[in-house]
Amino acid sequence: MAKKLSIRDIANELNISKTTISFILNGKAREKRISDVLTEKVLKYVAEKGYKPNQLAKSLSTGKTMIIGLMVEKISDYFFAQMAYHVEELAYDSGYKILYCSTDNDLLKTRELISLFRDRHVDGYIITPPAGLEKDVQALIDDGLPVVLFDRYFEDVDSSYVVLDNYKASYDAVKYLTQKQFKNIGFIELDSDQSQMKDRRNGYLKALQESDLVPMVLRVPFSNSPDKTMKHLIDFIEQNKNMDALFFATNYLAFEGVKALGKLKFKIPQDMAVIAFDDHQAFDIYTPTITAVAQPIDELAKKSIHTLLNMLNSQSTVYKQEKVIVPANLIIRDSTEKNNL
Amino acid sequence: MAKKLSIRDIANELNISKTTISFILNGKAREKRISDVLTEKVLKYVAEKGYKPNQLAKSLSTGKTMIIGLMVEKISDYFFAQMAYHVEELAYDSGYKILYCSTDNDLLKTRELISLFRDRHVDGYIITPPAGLEKDVQALIDDGLPVVLFDRYFEDVDSSYVVLDNYKASYDAVKYLTQKQFKNIGFIELDSDQSQMKDRRNGYLKALQESDLVPMVLRVPFSNSPDKTMKHLIDFIEQNKNMDALFFATNYLAFEGVKALGKLKFKIPQDMAVIAFDDHQAFDIYTPTITAVAQPIDELAKKSIHTLLNMLNSQSTVYKQEKVIVPANLIIRDSTEKNNL
DNA sequence: CTGAAAGCGCTTACAG
DNA sequence: CTGAAAGCGCTTACAG
């Protein structure tokens, strides 16, 4: 490999100092009152030779890496994959690159990953935190590192975050069902106390309460195999014969639920209406199409990056911690439209 | 932020040289014949203080960043998202981190991204190259940088790659249809001359030829809107009334195709059998379930990382370029099983 | 067994 | 207007 050109080589070649070149390359020629002639000459030479400064050296001396650490629950999940795509695009537009990792919602793994990212001096963090990460997030903030939590937040930590309005989204979805005259609405959620789940549950409960309806809730253990989840679902459906609608707290649960309903020979929506939280491509092609609470992922990504960039561009390291709550869209499809049949 | 401990601080504190500490930290204590007592002392101190070496400084002096550049077509696509997840896991196991980006299959964008990754001195590359990237891949190889192409390859470039056996997978899928007595099998592909598409098309043509059947091929322009794609599909289906089976070269096309068939009131598989290339979660829950050619993504990811790690661990920078071809699995579901009805 | 010193390739406070 | 020098925090060839 042809040895890469360094700033020193250029300095020698052009018989000027590294300092001058560095100033010119960093757009400080004017500020440092370097002659236009010299500036031109250096810029021309650099363009000709295709010189690119070594970012490692630059980072070591400035302390900035221009890298954002993106820690999502699982990059392969539809929601996080979309998020990653949008975040990447916006970050690159601002000159930042993305180092990513999946936490698998595992506390110890996440701690390890934060430590790795710190060793690499990433400039800022976008994190979907697993339960129990409060102290670690606080530690990042205390150390003056820009952090934006995403998808969920901690009530006890004063951090920036960008989340969906899970409570209202869930409330609206259930309200829609009650308006459609469904009376026995089951809720199927993950066994998790993270904010996003809690808010979804509370929205459901609130909407039922307003109509004097009785809650029926199934909590599916987090780390269940698909088979076990299926069994839980089937039991739940069979034990609540009077149910006429099911609200699933995640799209994954909805997939399993729809399969379970199929096995039990339930017709959707005649025998059971279905709404899923978190939209998915597949909901639009399935027959019947599935009504879903859609998260505006591009919007969530945009707000996350903007919030982070604001912190990165701030002079102080005591950041204003911004809380951003984004409304969801209820996308009505066939799985709730009994009357259209 | 509490100033981070550096190797120099430790040297001062312990009254020994940075050299000695560096040797101990890098596991060269034995080799450098440093006393066990001193080694212990240093290790203990470091553990106590939670000292972590600055990776930037380390990278600058060793020239290794322990970062792999992952350049996929689009991180949000199911296939690439899965790939990213598996690659990440395996890379982290070997101490590597992942810097990722989406090429959008855009040649200029990809060139720009390679340049950015080079500036950051990533140690190796996994790339799903867009058409036209031959010279750039060759340049990386010539400069002694480890590169593994993924999902597609260039016939004219002697590079490592890991790809599916697209030709055989496609041939087998069509062969399956002919054995099922389908006689008029249409093929719907993207208008692309990249290796993966070409191999899929050729496998289809070969299988038809062996049964003396007539090809019917629709090429959908790459950058079409969904609406336009839909129109192409509907026209194609209407103009070929005799078709009894459709083979889609990508899962995205299959989604659109299934929608189109729905609009035209075709029943699957009675009026039209369907096979999709590249499996998708949704194919298993759709009614009827969709037969698909599945790519073993974990296997592809594993081979890619292993191939790259072999190069990274090699002494020489003139690497043996490995070509890995992975077989696909035909997953038979309801959309091809007329006789079961 | 251990350390002083040079080097990786940048930036920037300071001096003139 | 421009440059010599110190510094970022590591590694390692060399010397003893």
Side-chain angles (χ1 to χ4, degrees), chain B residues 7 18-19 22 26 28 51 61:
Chain B
I7 201 170
K18 294 188 299 170
T19 309
S22 175
N26 289 303
K28 298 191 184 160
Y51 166 75
S61 81

Side-chain angles (χ1 to χ4, degrees), chain B residues 63-309:
Chain B
K64 295 279 153 224
T65 51
M66 298 302 281
I67 291 181
I68 291 171
L70 175 65
M71 312 179 65
V72 297
E73 182 169 327
K74 195 164 182 175
I75 191 76
S76 56
D77 282 0
Y78 180 75
F79 175 68
F80 294 116
Q82 298 292 320
M83 171 72 185
Y85 181 71
H86 288 110
V87 163
E88 171 203 342
E89 192 172 20
L90 297 164
Y92 276 70
D93 287 348
S94 300
Y96 285 91
K97 312 286 157 294
I98 305 281
L99 213 52
Y100 80 88
C101 61
S102 303
T103 66
D104 289 327
N105 225 20
D106 175 324
L107 179 59
L108 293 180
K109 183 177 179 195
T110 305
R111 285 198 174 131
E112 184 65 26
L113 288 166
I114 288 180
S115 170
L116 289 174
F117 277 21
R118 290 196 70 153
D119 297 345
R120 304 226 163 232
H121 291 237
V122 306
D123 289 343
Y125 297 76
I126 296 178
I127 308 178
T128 61
L133 200 71
E134 288 87 343
K135 292 252 186 319
D136 309 83
V137 171
Q138 189 63 58
L140 288 171
I141 294 172
D142 290 345
D143 287 344
L145 295 170
V147 183
V148 175
L149 300 188
F150 173 75
D151 188 54
R152 58 201 79 158
Y153 60 93
F154 294 123
E155 279 174 17
D156 303 337
V157 179
D158 177 32
S159 78
S160 290
Y161 59 74
V162 174
V163 296
L164 191 78
D165 192 344
N166 285 288
Y167 179 84
K168 179 154 191 311
S170 191
Y171 173 87
D172 288 347
V174 175
K175 212 66 187 170
Y176 180 77
L177 288 174
T178 62
Q179 278 156 14
K180 284 269 172 178
Q181 304 306 320
F182 291 100
K183 298 291 181 200
N184 297 288
I185 305 168
F187 182 63
I188 298 180
E189 62 171 340
L190 284 178
D191 185 11
S192 153
D193 278 317
Q194 291 194 274
S195 66
Q196 76 280 26
M197 279 302 142
K198 225 157 72 181
D199 290 349
R200 290 173 199 181
R201 178 166 61 248
N202 288 336
Y204 159 82
L205 292 174
K206 175 72 174 172
L208 283 198
Q209 188 196 313
E210 286 185 6
S211 302
D212 287 321
L213 297 174
V214 182
M216 286 171 286
V217 175
L218 172 65
R219 304 193 83 183
V220 179
F222 203 79
S223 53
N224 254 8
S225 67
D227 285 354
K228 265 196 154 177
T229 299
M230 181 61 70
K231 186 164 171 351
H232 274 107
L233 287 166
I234 289 181
D235 289 351
F236 179 69
I237 295 167
E238 290 192 323
Q239 281 160 21
N240 295 279
K241 291 279 178 204
N242 60 333
M243 277 193 303
D244 53 11
L246 277 175
F247 179 31
F248 294 92
T250 77
N251 55 28
Y252 166 75
L253 288 172
F255 286 139
E256 296 301 319
V258 165
K259 268 200 216 171
L261 290 171
K263 286 198 186 177
L264 297 172
K265 308 283 178 204
F266 277 70
K267 290 242 178 280
I268 303 172
Q270 298 92 317
D271 305 329
M272 187 77 82
V274 166
I275 295 189
F277 206 108
D278 207 2
D279 201 16
H280 193 285
Q281 291 175 283
F283 291 155
D284 198 31
I285 52 169
Y286 190 75
T287 317
T289 55
I290 307 286
T291 296
V293 175
Q295 308 205 42
I297 305 184
D298 52 346
E299 181 74 10
L300 289 165
K302 203 178 295 174
K303 300 271 193 200
S304 301
I305 279 286
H306 284 175
T307 303
L308 189 63
L309 288 178

Side-chain angles (χ1 to χ4, degrees), chain A residues 62 192 198 229 298:
Chain A
T62 60
S192 154
K198 224 155 73 180
T229 299
D298 51 346

